[in-house]
């Protein structure tokens, strides 16, 4: 599961602005977790207002955490059964 997540920063606003990306790549980059997290952290470091972006970033983090923990519990229960 972690291998696809390794490539997400390369298709996000972490290295280049999403406005300079081609259409389909831009659409994907603007709606993935790394972009909202990077934009939030960047705004916090620059002491700029974050707006609603922080809630999107937190929602992505909580969602990924819930899915990963549920999958880990299923795998653990299968292992000990």
């Amino acid at each position: 599961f972690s291998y696809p997540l390794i490539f997400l920063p390369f298709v996000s606003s972490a290295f280049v602005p999403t406005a300079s990306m081609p259409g389909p790549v831009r659409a994907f980059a603007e709606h993935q977790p790394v972009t909202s997290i990077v934009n939030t952290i960047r705004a916090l470091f620059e002491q700029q207002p974050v707006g609603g972006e922080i809630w999107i970033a937190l929602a992505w983090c909580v969602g990924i955490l819930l899915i990963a923990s549920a999958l880990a519990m299923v795998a653990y229960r299968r292992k000990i059964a």
Side-chain angles (χ1 to χ4, degrees):
F1 178 73
S2 65
Y3 287 120
L5 294 179
I6 292 171
F7 296 106
L8 283 179
F10 296 109
V11 188
S12 71
S13 66
F15 299 111
V16 296
T18 56
S20 65
M21 298 177 181
V25 177
R26 180 185 318 148
F28 177 76
E30 289 175 347
H31 298 96
Q32 60 135 322
V34 176
T35 298
S36 61
I37 293 168
V38 165
N39 290 344
T40 301
I41 292 171
R42 189 176 287 141
L44 289 172
F45 278 137
E46 294 173 353
Q47 297 180 351
Q48 299 294 321
V50 179
E53 190 80 21
I54 193 166
W55 299 113
I56 297 169
L58 289 173
W60 273 111
C61 291
V62 169
I64 291 171
L65 176 69
L66 291 175
I67 291 170
S69 62
L71 292 173
M73 288 304 296
V74 167
Y76 176 73
R77 287 186 181 136
R78 284 185 185 165
K79 185 79 169 175
I80 63 169

